[in-house]
């Protein structure tokens, strides 16, 4: 298991004039953020202390942090990833994983050919999808199913050769 922090949300902008921020959620919804009172604030190197959080009824959230007093401060946080240490998260059940565990993994085919690197994990409703960036910068997506993604380790994700878009 990795010891790198797990990103739970990202600030997408200010909400109102009193310092609230809009959040894009990467976890199981707004309830997954409520137990956490302090978040690592991405590249700022700082910490944000959660005062209040609520659903925006659109799949995101609206949050207030102690350190953010006005709209200008909230706008400066746009793009900031909010993460917590892995120890602050509940234990994973068998077969569960965090998307962040896949990001940056080298990708190879079941034939051993290097393909590229995992650059994103998305879910558009049907299933999770792994986005892979090849050495030439081209990207393609592979469904996170047993037929396409055969498995992964701490260093490598293996896909079926038939799913490689050359």
């Amino acid at each position: 298991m990795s010891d790198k922090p797990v990103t739970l949300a990202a600030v997408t902008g200010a909400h109102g004039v009193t310092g609230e921020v809009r959040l894009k959620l990467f976890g199981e919804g707004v309830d997954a953020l409520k137990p956490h009172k302090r978040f690592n604030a991405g590249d700022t190197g700082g910490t944000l202390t959660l005062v209040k959080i609520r659903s925006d009824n659109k799949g995101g959230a609206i949050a207030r942090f102690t350190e953010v007093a006005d709209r200008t401060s909230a706008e400066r946080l746009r793009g900031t990833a909010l993460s917590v240490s892995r120890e602050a998260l509940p234990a994973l059940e068998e077969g569960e994983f965090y998307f962040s565990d896949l990001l940056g993994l080298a990708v190879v085919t079941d034939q051993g050919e290097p393909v590229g690197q995992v650059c994103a994990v998305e879910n558009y409703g049907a299933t999770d999808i792994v986005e892979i960036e090849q050495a030439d910068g081209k990207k393609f997506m592979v469904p996170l199913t047993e037929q396409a993604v055969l498995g992964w380790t701490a260093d490598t994700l293996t896909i079926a050769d038939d799913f490689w878009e050359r």
Side-chain angles (χ1 to χ4, degrees):
M1 176 163 65
S2 170
D3 60 352
K4 68 181 178 182
V6 176
T7 300
L8 299 179
V11 178
T12 59
H15 178 79
V17 296
T18 60
E20 289 184 318
V21 296
R22 288 175 289 144
L23 300 177
K24 177 179 181 180
L25 305 177
F26 301 129
E28 294 293 321
V30 71
D31 289 335
L33 273 67
K34 287 181 179 179
H36 306 285
K37 297 303 174 202
R38 298 177 63 81
F39 293 88
N40 300 325
D43 296 335
T44 69
T47 303
L48 293 173
T49 308
L50 185 64
V51 174
K52 165 172 97 166
I53 189 166
R54 67 184 187 279
S55 172
D56 68 358
N57 297 317
K58 299 176 187 174
I62 307 294
R64 177 176 301 284
F65 295 101
T66 303
E67 299 79 5
V68 184
D70 56 31
R71 183 174 182 87
T72 303
S73 299
E75 278 296 338
R76 279 193 215 114
L77 289 175
R78 183 185 299 266
T80 300
L82 303 177
S83 61
V84 296
S85 69
R86 193 168 285 268
E87 294 81 36
L89 297 170
L92 293 171
E93 298 292 326
E94 181 68 31
E96 291 183 325
F97 63 95
Y98 294 113
F99 285 0
S100 62
D101 293 339
L102 303 181
L103 296 176
L105 290 182
V107 179
V108 298
T109 68
D110 53 353
Q111 306 299 313
E113 292 185 64
V115 174
Q117 180 176 333
V118 176
C119 62
V121 181
E122 303 288 349
N123 187 313
Y124 299 108
T127 190
D128 297 327
I129 298 171
V130 178
E131 185 172 16
I132 300 167
E133 183 172 7
Q134 299 179 84
D136 63 4
K138 274 182 44 181
K139 296 179 182 179
F140 69 99
M141 295 181 161
V142 173
L144 192 51
T145 61
E146 291 178 10
Q147 296 81 15
V149 176
L150 305 177
W152 63 86
T153 66
D155 302 314
T156 308
L157 181 128
T158 304
I159 64 171
D161 190 62
D162 292 343
F163 286 86
W164 182 12
E165 291 183 18
R166 292 177 172 89

